[in-house]
Amino acid sequence: MVLLEKNYQQEKYEQYIYSLWEKAGYFNPDCISNLKLKIKNLKHFSIIMPPPNANASLHMGHAIFVFLEDIMTRWARLKGFITLWLPGTDHAGIATQVAFEKKLAQQGLTRFDLGRDEFLKQCMIFTLENKKNIEQQLKILGASCDWSRNSFTLDPKFLKPVYTIFKKLYDDGLIYRENRMVNWCSRCQTVLSDLEIKYKKEKSKLYYIRYPLKDDLKSFISVATTRPETMLGDTAIAVNPKDRRYKKMIGKTVILPLVNREIPIITDELVKKDFGTGAVKVTPSHDPVDYQIAKKHNLPLVQIINFEGVISAKGKQFARLKKDEARQKIIETLRNQNLLIKTEEYNNNIAHCERCNEIIEPMISKQWFIKMQPLAKKAIQALKNKQTKIIPKRFNKIMFQWLKNIQDWCISRQLWWGQQIPVYYCGSAQLSKLQKLMNKIKETRGCGKLFVSIDKPKICPFCGDKNNIIQDPDTLDTWFSSGQWPFNTLGWIDNAPDFQSFYPTTVMETGYDILFFWVARMMMLGIYATSKVPFKYVYLHGLIRDEKGEKMSKSKGNVVDPLSMVKKYGADALRIGLISKTAPGGDSHISEQKIIGTRNLINKIWNIGRFILSNPYANQIIKNIVFNKTDYLKQQNNNFDLASHWILSEFEKLKLDLQKHLANFSFGVAFDKINNFIWSNFADWYVEIMKIDDDLKPLRIQIGTQIFYEFLIWTHPFMPFLTEALYSEMKNIAGIKDENDLLLIKNPPPVRKKLIKDDWTKNFQKIQKVVQFTRNIHNIYSIRTPVKLFIVEKNNILKINKHIIKSFINDKIIFKKPSSKYKTITKKIDNITLYYNLEGAIDFQKEKTRLKNELLNLENQIKTKKALISNKEFIKKAPKQLVKSEKEKLKLLKNTYKQNKTFLDMLKKMSS
RNA sequence: GGGCACUUAGCUCAGCUGGUUAGAGCGUACGCCUCACACGCGUAAGGUCGCAGGUUCAAAUCCUGCAGUGCCCACCA
């Protein structure tokens, strides 16, 4: 007999247990497959971890994915699958560069002060530190991933496959370089893809400006704009061709104020008549729509804002001013020249850099793009064929819509942190001024051609030049390599055994917020590279918000830090707190309060263990179950008392529920069932019954212990540390020393369907109802002393289980109808009648009210039931089973009603 | 402008392949330190499942409309 601590102390177990798991090596599927070599047709299960960005600590968003994936992984492992959960971290191109640049800024430095090489060196140190920290945190959370396969997106080994895919796309004509209007972040000094910009509604102003006509300088055409500073780059005024107001002006020339350039008035369908004045200034270099118009009409492009967000030399007196300074100056000047008509308040939708929040400037620039339509088509096909299923389903529609309208993807970035583009130039001719400036590239001659190469080339394939080869200084969008993560981590390039065994992976579990960024691109690139979908299921989880449903953010101060929660309440408490009461794809709320609640459950289970392990026979029983594989249920030939039958039936139902809900990815519901079983059934009833001193006590302890042991295995994925801790205490008490004997890889004992019987549930529920109502009576009348309870029943179920009832209540139980000398309160439960002799404590008025209410309630129920059963359509169309049970119910209700009526009459007589 | 979701007890949320008296946790009230657990035990109060129609023998669950809330996508000066 051992005595465990009164409360579960996670700090004593968690770290130690994780080290046991790691030491045993069972996270590594190779280890398991060695154990099981004899078994044929091994099934494989794999999850590739969405690699956290290696630039900060883990937050709740990470914790949720760790827990969900760990539950899936552990469940698969228990079921005997060859299971791989492959961990990794992401260098996270722009996100990390911005984070590190913020650090540099604290020292008053920019990346250009360090230079490219030094920057990369320091940023790598920063990233590796974070990476190490994250890996430690994943272990604290209990992630059962295979560390021997740990991957980092910037591992040199990933360059070859990523470059191979780039070259293949290039050779297939799917990657191209083009001068285009792109999103430019002047803070990050790079282009961004459309997904990396976020629109925000902001209050701004709409300025109405007069442009004088060349023919008649006293006449004007007025335009409305939110960005007056861009007028320096105007190359036309456009109106809608159907706009009669401007009919006479079309084709005329205006003098662009401030710079005195002549520009034409043209027409274009894109201009809306009812906005502003109906005339729009066209600035092709700094507005996407204007760019379209300019292309159609062959207008010249005048770049007026340079890549630093400063007015260029073409802006004459405004040159070198920052955008916003220029705006003020220009407005002032226009006002002085009487060219500003008015300003209006205006709600604008303004694009910001997702990472640094800087306002995005549309710019024309030469960049690398991937042609997406052909890739998207195949992804759509695969989704339609259900080769990949998305959970929850509704995201299919969202995915289709996005894939259908997909735009080409700009994959080059002017960042330093990332994988450099595998494009080489013979001589510097094709590089932009900016590229040369930012990367200190000297002008060289060469033949001027470009080529893609997987390995670093020594000579130019076109002219044989050896000395002038320059690699494109730009890096790849971080999502380009992330998009290849599922197959590259498994060794696609070498057709490695892992790739053969684990690809396509089973589940991709991630947040819906990166559905387009990542999931869609993995689908497209996966199919492109391997001709197979990268995963069979996509499971999407929602955002984790605070208890009020608000987004967590440092500035709001409502961040709940997962690691401090683990420290306070344990990793399992946090795990359950995050997954309970959640549905796939739904946002969930977390609060310390909720975690305290789940910690209490953990402690409850711990104490059940404490109780079981403290009984004098525990060591022998556990030894028999765990070591000698004794099945106490079989030993007794499945012939137990009602309570044991009942709890076994409930337990087997729990197993079925778990199977079902885990297969459906309904983790929240699955956990609900666990909670209900262990607390409301096992602890509240069976554990109490195990304490009864009678002939059956040893048997009940055996059964209870066996159930608890099996429970630990079945629920291990939901509370891995606690269950393993309890199991290790079990081994301890049974004197088992084997450190490799871990719950982690035990097979859940099969469901014994024979033990599920509704009769047992029904009959045991009678006991529960009697106990509950008796307690209720004691409460209502504040009676703390035992009373006489007379029970009349049809069969002898309660009589046989008298001592069970007695263990829950103190009252004297007599199995016959009380004689008329007793004044009693009566209660009808199913076919059972209870009479409570409360001696002088009966409050007749109170009791009359109670009975009247009960009668009223019954009346209503009878009414609806009667209506249902007298409905011919119901009898005809409803399932027969249902009709039968409804009829029985009505009978019972009527019966109960009748009896209660007599009770009430009796009561009236007594009190009068 | 287009699309997707949500609206269930005081709070936070489950349930919705249609079928008992709609559930949980927290909170509230009352009573308990009962030898596994006060991170506990017992009892109770609390909901016409947003509104209005429809389908059906039967609707919280399916359909339509409306209202409110949230999110995503889209080039509107």
Side-chain angles (χ1 to χ4, degrees):
Chain A
M1 178 167 144
V2 289
L3 199 59
L4 303 182
E5 306 278 348
K6 210 167 173 182
N7 290 329
Y8 173 56
Q9 289 169 357
Q10 70 273 359
E11 65 275 10
K12 275 196 180 171
Y13 290 96
E14 290 187 349
Q15 215 183 341
Y16 165 69
I17 280 170
Y18 197 91
S19 75
L20 283 184
W21 289 334
E22 258 197 307
K23 228 192 289 168
Y26 299 145
F27 294 169
N28 185 338
D30 302 335
C31 177
I32 304 280
S33 54
N34 286 340
L35 286 175
K36 296 184 177 172
L37 271 183
K38 292 166 210 153
I39 309 168
K40 282 177 193 165
N41 298 325
L42 291 170
K43 286 186 188 165
H44 288 78
F45 177 96
S46 53
I47 295 183
I48 308 295
M49 181 187 290
N53 292 351
N55 56 34
S57 280
L58 296 187
H59 55 250
M60 280 297 175
H62 295 113
I64 185 70
F65 93 61
V66 170
F67 293 145
L68 287 167
E69 287 166 35
D70 195 51
I71 288 170
M72 295 185 220
T73 303
R74 285 180 192 268
W75 179 241
R77 196 183 288 119
L78 288 174
K79 282 198 299 182
F81 285 66
I82 302 299
T83 302
L84 170 64
W85 182 18
L86 192 148
T89 37
D90 195 338
H91 72 282
I94 186 166
T96 301
Q97 178 157 332
V98 169
F100 186 62
E101 280 179 317
K102 269 186 193 160
K103 253 187 100 171
L104 284 180
Q106 287 168 2
Q107 308 162 45
L109 294 171
T110 71
R111 62 167 148 145
F112 300 104
D113 295 326
L114 299 188
R116 187 161 181 150
D117 291 343
E118 183 59 23
F119 178 85
L120 287 179
K121 212 169 117 190
Q122 290 193 24
C123 193
M124 184 59 97
I125 293 168
F126 169 78
T127 306
L128 290 179
E129 259 173 36
N130 278 302
K131 178 176 174 289
K132 210 170 136 192
N133 184 33
I134 285 170
E135 284 156 6
Q136 202 46 47
Q137 294 178 336
L138 287 170
K139 291 181 184 184
I140 289 171
L141 294 175
S144 68
C145 46
D146 178 12
W147 293 105
S148 76
R149 287 171 168 85
N150 191 17
S151 299
F152 175 48
T153 50
L154 225 49
D155 279 342
K157 69 172 179 189
F158 290 124
L159 272 182
K160 189 178 165 195
V162 169
Y163 285 0
T164 303
I165 294 295
F166 187 99
K167 187 165 189 316
K168 186 167 148 63
L169 284 163
Y170 181 77
D171 292 343
D172 287 347
L174 293 172
I175 281 187
Y176 62 94
R177 190 177 188 229
E178 197 176 270
N179 215 21
R180 268 218 201 170
M181 180 143 286
V182 292
N183 310 301
W184 180 263
C185 175
S186 52
R187 211 263 358 137
C188 297
Q189 289 286 294
T190 182
V191 294
L192 299 169
S193 68
D194 295 339
L195 285 177
E196 288 165 301
I197 61 174
K198 293 285 164 241
Y199 285 91
K200 289 182 191 174
K201 287 249 186 312
E202 279 172 30
K203 274 190 184 163
S204 68
K205 288 201 167 86
L206 194 58
Y207 301 89
Y208 287 75
I209 303 167
R210 269 195 268 261
Y211 284 37
L213 291 175
K214 187 188 170 192
D215 298 350
D216 172 12
L217 289 175
K218 281 178 188 156
S219 300
F220 303 92
I221 185 164
S222 303
V223 300
T225 179
T226 53
R227 300 196 56 196
E229 70 278 13
T230 62
M231 69 184 286
L232 303 169
D234 286 357
T235 55
I237 300 284
V239 296
N240 191 288
K242 287 177 187 157
D243 196 336
R244 289 195 197 143
R245 291 173 293 175
Y246 296 109
K247 220 168 186 180
K248 284 182 186 163
M249 292 196 180
I250 294 163
K252 293 198 171 167
T253 302
V254 297
I255 306 290
L256 180 60
L258 310 176
V259 283
N260 293 325
R261 202 148 31 76
E262 293 186 5
I263 57 173
I265 299 176
I266 58 166
T267 61
D268 198 289
E269 306 274 339
L270 288 172
V271 182
K272 284 183 183 160
K273 286 194 282 187
D274 50 0
F275 188 90
T277 63
V280 64
K281 58 193 260 329
V282 180
T283 320
S285 290
H286 300 291
D287 184 279
V289 178
D290 293 4
Y291 182 63
Q292 276 181 42
I293 294 175
K295 262 175 133 181
K296 261 191 268 175
H297 298 269
N298 263 325
L299 297 173
L301 311 178
V302 176
Q303 187 183 333
I304 205 72
I305 299 169
N306 69 17
F307 289 95
E308 268 116 22
V310 173
I311 304 296
S312 72
K314 285 172 192 157
K316 300 206 169 156
Q317 72 264 40
F318 303 101
R320 292 200 193 156
L321 288 175
K322 282 188 182 164
K323 286 188 290 188
D324 43 341
E325 292 168 358
R327 177 180 300 181
Q328 294 316 314
K329 267 263 168 69
I330 285 169
I331 289 302
E332 218 171 282
T333 316
L334 288 172
R335 192 176 282 133
N336 291 339
Q337 296 182 8
N338 202 24
L339 292 172
L340 183 70
I341 305 166
K342 60 172 178 177
T343 62
E344 271 175 7
E345 296 292 325
Y346 183 68
N347 273 334
N348 209 358
N349 214 8
I350 295 171
H352 291 258
C353 171
E354 183 205 25
R355 289 297 161 185
C356 77
N357 210 29
E358 181 78 14
I359 292 177
I360 293 297
E361 187 61 48
M363 293 277 224
I364 296 162
S365 168
K366 200 177 241 184
Q367 302 290 342
W368 290 95
F369 295 88
I370 302 185
K371 216 183 257 180
M372 297 309 283
Q373 283 291 352
L375 300 177
K377 254 186 197 162
K378 289 193 174 169
I380 291 172
Q381 207 51 49
L383 284 169
K384 280 199 172 146
N385 295 342
K386 306 252 162 85
Q387 287 165 282
T388 296
K389 291 180 193 159
I390 304 182
I391 295 153
K393 282 192 211 128
R394 65 188 142 93
F395 285 99
N396 272 306
K397 217 172 182 180
I398 297 171
M399 200 55 157
F400 282 136
Q401 200 184 325
W402 188 75
L403 286 169
K404 232 173 121 183
N405 300 317
I406 200 162
Q407 300 291 311
D408 284 358
W409 174 17
C410 176
I411 53 163
S412 48
R413 296 287 179 278
Q414 288 64 56
L415 302 166
W416 288 345
W417 184 244
Q419 292 165 328
Q420 212 169 328
I421 290 182
V423 171
Y424 298 84
Y425 304 91
C426 187
S428 62
Q430 289 213 44
L431 292 170
S432 71
K433 263 188 213 164
L434 189 71
Q435 283 179 312
K436 284 181 256 188
L437 192 76
M438 278 167 66
N439 299 289
K440 296 189 175 152
I441 295 168
K442 282 175 197 148
E443 298 280 353
T444 50
R445 277 231 184 125
C447 71
K449 290 190 172 150
L450 70 80
F451 56 96
V452 175
S453 174
I454 295 164
D455 301 309
K456 248 194 166 50
K458 292 200 174 101
I459 61 167
C460 169
F462 298 105
C463 68
D465 191 326
K466 287 180 186 174
N467 303 318
N468 294 307
I469 296 170
I470 306 165
Q471 185 170 4
D472 194 316
D474 287 357
T475 50
L476 290 162
D477 180 0
T478 196
W479 298 102
F480 180 72
S481 55
S482 309
Q484 304 169 36
W485 198 233
F487 55 90
N488 280 344
T489 48
L490 293 172
W492 158 77
I493 193 83
D494 308 311
N495 196 24
D498 272 3
F499 180 73
Q500 294 174 38
S501 307
F502 295 110
Y503 192 88
T505 63
T506 316
V507 184
M508 171 49 63
E509 192 287 329
T510 190
Y512 67 71
D513 51 328
I514 52 172
L515 186 64
F516 305 144
F517 271 113
W518 198 41
V519 179
R521 283 157 176 177
M522 284 190 287
M523 285 285 291
M524 291 186 282
L525 290 172
I527 294 169
Y528 176 73
T530 70
S531 308
K532 285 183 193 163
V533 292
F535 25 72
K536 293 171 195 150
Y537 292 95
V538 174
Y539 178 98
L540 297 167
H541 64 254
L543 250 54
I544 309 293
R545 299 163 178 279
D546 77 353
E547 55 190 322
K548 289 177 200 141
E550 288 183 41
K551 245 182 180 171
M552 288 188 192
S553 76
K554 277 179 196 161
S555 54
K556 276 191 214 155
N558 61 347
V559 175
V560 186
D561 171 41
L563 292 137
S564 61
M565 288 299 113
V566 169
K567 206 166 179 194
K568 269 170 110 169
Y569 307 111
D572 292 344
L574 177 64
R575 170 179 303 225
I576 299 168
L578 277 172
I579 66 123
S580 80
K581 293 294 172 195
T582 63
D587 291 351
S588 54
H589 301 197
I590 191 74
S591 61
E592 187 157 353
Q593 201 45 243
K594 190 175 179 188
I595 299 165
I596 289 172
T598 48
R599 184 275 314 265
N600 293 351
L601 169 70
I602 294 288
N603 191 56
K604 184 78 184 180
I605 298 172
W606 172 259
N607 266 288
I608 297 169
R610 184 168 185 250
F611 167 77
I612 285 176
L613 293 188
S614 67
N615 88 72
Y617 317 106
N619 53 357
Q620 195 51 47
I621 295 171
I622 291 163
K623 203 174 196 170
N624 285 342
I625 293 172
V626 178
F627 215 58
N628 302 330
K629 314 280 180 227
T630 306
D631 186 338
Y632 280 108
L633 307 182
K634 263 196 188 143
Q635 241 183 29
Q636 294 300 321
N637 207 12
N638 291 346
N639 192 16
F640 321 109
D641 64 317
L642 176 60
S644 300
H645 271 307
W646 166 75
I647 195 66
L648 282 162
S649 181
E650 292 302 311
F651 183 50
E652 300 306 322
K653 278 193 261 178
L654 170 70
K655 291 179 183 173
L656 286 179
D657 281 335
L658 286 178
Q659 277 180 341
K660 182 173 127 196
H661 295 301
L662 282 166
N664 289 336
F665 299 91
S666 304
F667 305 107
V669 182
F671 171 71
D672 244 19
K673 304 282 178 189
I674 292 173
N675 189 6
N676 182 57
F677 170 79
I678 199 68
W679 202 322
S680 305
N681 289 336
F682 194 73
D684 286 353
W685 294 93
Y686 199 71
V687 166
E688 294 307 317
I689 291 168
M690 283 166 78
K691 293 175 187 169
I692 299 171
D693 265 316
D694 64 5
D695 297 345
L696 290 173
K697 185 172 185 177
L699 176 62
R700 294 204 190 99
I701 289 175
Q702 286 165 5
I703 291 169
T705 307
Q706 181 150 355
I707 288 177
F708 189 65
Y709 166 69
E710 293 187 8
F711 173 84
L712 293 181
I713 301 173
W714 274 80
T715 61
H716 172 76
F718 291 88
M719 346 179 233
F721 287 112
L722 173 79
T723 49
E724 193 75 78
L726 281 166
Y727 182 61
S728 76
E729 292 297 350
M730 281 186 164
K731 282 195 310 181
N732 218 359
I733 195 176
I736 299 163
K737 293 252 157 61
D738 184 4
E739 279 204 342
N740 290 324
D741 179 8
L742 295 166
L743 210 61
L744 182 67
I745 54 158
K746 292 229 180 290
N747 287 322
V751 181
R752 310 175 188 92
K753 280 195 180 157
K754 274 187 189 167
L755 292 181
I756 301 175
K757 265 194 199 163
D758 283 346
D759 279 0
W760 291 329
T761 312
K762 263 189 207 161
N763 286 336
F764 192 77
Q765 275 172 358
K766 285 178 187 166
I767 295 175
Q768 291 177 307
K769 282 179 187 171
V770 169
V771 169
Q772 278 161 347
F773 188 73
T774 305
R775 286 164 169 173
N776 183 0
I777 286 294
H778 276 272
N779 247 289
I780 291 174
Y781 290 102
S782 305
I783 299 168
R784 306 211 187 122
T785 49
V787 300
K788 282 197 183 101
L789 164 57
F790 298 88
I791 300 178
V792 177
E793 59 174 340
K794 274 198 172 162
N795 35 33
N796 281 333
I797 287 162
L798 296 178
K799 199 169 186 181
I800 296 166
N801 291 286
K802 184 181 170 185
H803 62 299
I804 303 271
I805 301 172
K806 275 294 286 179
S807 73
F808 291 98
I809 57 180
N810 283 324
D811 305 288
K812 187 170 166 54
I813 303 170
I814 303 143
F815 282 92
K816 65 174 186 192
K817 199 174 171 181
S819 71
S820 55
K821 71 172 182 176
Y822 290 108
K823 289 188 174 180
T824 55
I825 287 178
T826 45
K827 170 80 178 175
K828 182 98 180 136
I829 298 171
D830 300 339
N831 288 320
I832 301 159
T833 317
L834 306 176
Y835 303 83
Y836 293 90
N837 174 34
L838 305 185
E839 302 297 341
I842 302 180
D843 180 332
F844 289 99
Q845 207 48 49
K846 215 186 232 181
E847 187 56 15
K848 268 191 247 175
T849 321
R850 190 187 68 78
L851 268 174
K852 274 181 191 164
N853 284 338
E854 201 158 321
L855 280 170
L856 210 69
N857 189 359
L858 283 165
E859 241 171 81
N860 285 333
Q861 284 188 50
I862 289 169
K863 228 200 244 164
T864 38
K865 278 269 133 61
K866 261 187 176 166
L868 183 66
I869 283 167
S870 57
N871 186 334
K872 280 176 194 161
E873 294 295 306
F874 173 71
I875 306 291
K876 215 161 69 186
K877 290 180 182 168
K880 277 186 184 151
Q881 193 66 35
L882 190 75
V883 174
K884 198 181 150 199
S885 74
E886 290 297 317
K887 277 184 177 168
E888 273 167 18
K889 267 178 227 156
L890 179 63
K891 212 169 135 193
L892 199 66
L893 283 171
K894 278 182 173 170
N895 205 335
T896 311
Y897 182 84
K898 217 167 102 190
Q899 282 240 345
N900 273 338
K901 193 89 203 306
T902 6
F903 297 153
L904 185 63
D905 292 343
M906 275 164 59
L907 209 63
K908 277 177 182 165
K909 251 187 240 165
M910 274 191 278
S911 60
S912 60

